[in-house]
Amino acid sequence: MPKISSGLLLFRTRNRVLEFLLVHPGGPFWKNKDAGSWTIPKGEITEGEEPLNAAIREFQEELGFAPTGPFTELPTIKQKGGKLVHAWAFEGDCDPTQIKSNTFSMEWPPRSGRQCEFPEVDRAEFFNLENAKTKINSAQIPLLEELQRRLGNH
């Protein structure tokens, strides 16, 4: 059975340009990766958890503030590894430099026996559609395009 994640796509309009908030994963594997490695804030759904509740929880864990709806459901996408991602969009704003992400532990460097802490998300940024398409995991591009389609020309 494929893994299932749930996430939120925060958007805003600045100078009549639609912008999307994307996050960059933390940790040593992602440190020097940029194009194609950003994502919407998302995470795995725990057993018995409602997908929207999981998306809200993950957003808060990865960014450090509570999202406020209304939330608009977007189509579910399938990533290259088979993971399904449920997503909702909502309009809002934040200062991406002020995020406070949860952390995770892992052995680093490999086979060193040392456990290190890393943020789940090491940075967040708003991007217009053109730039967001180059930054985001390519499987998530349809989320951006669908939201733009629903909002009309921006």
Side-chain angles (χ1 to χ4, degrees), residues 33-108:
K33 293 185 169 99
D34 188 55
S37 62
W38 293 68
T39 181
I40 66 169
K42 64 174 181 48
E44 288 189 23
I45 300 170
T46 60
E47 192 173 329
E49 187 176 27
E50 289 295 321
L52 178 56
N53 292 341
I56 292 168
R57 174 183 51 77
E58 285 291 336
F59 189 94
Q60 193 158 356
E61 288 176 1
E62 293 184 356
L63 296 170
F65 65 92
T68 55
F71 302 103
T72 302
E73 189 169 6
L74 298 170
T76 299
I77 57 140
K78 187 178 202 173
Q79 297 191 159
K80 285 182 183 140
K83 180 186 284 187
L84 298 176
V85 178
H86 298 286
W88 287 261
F90 74 104
E91 188 169 11
D93 203 357
C94 70
D95 179 351
T97 66
Q98 298 302 307
I99 68 166
K100 292 176 179 59
S101 177
N102 278 3
T103 59
F104 67 94
S105 285
M106 67 179 283
E107 183 181 22
W108 193 257

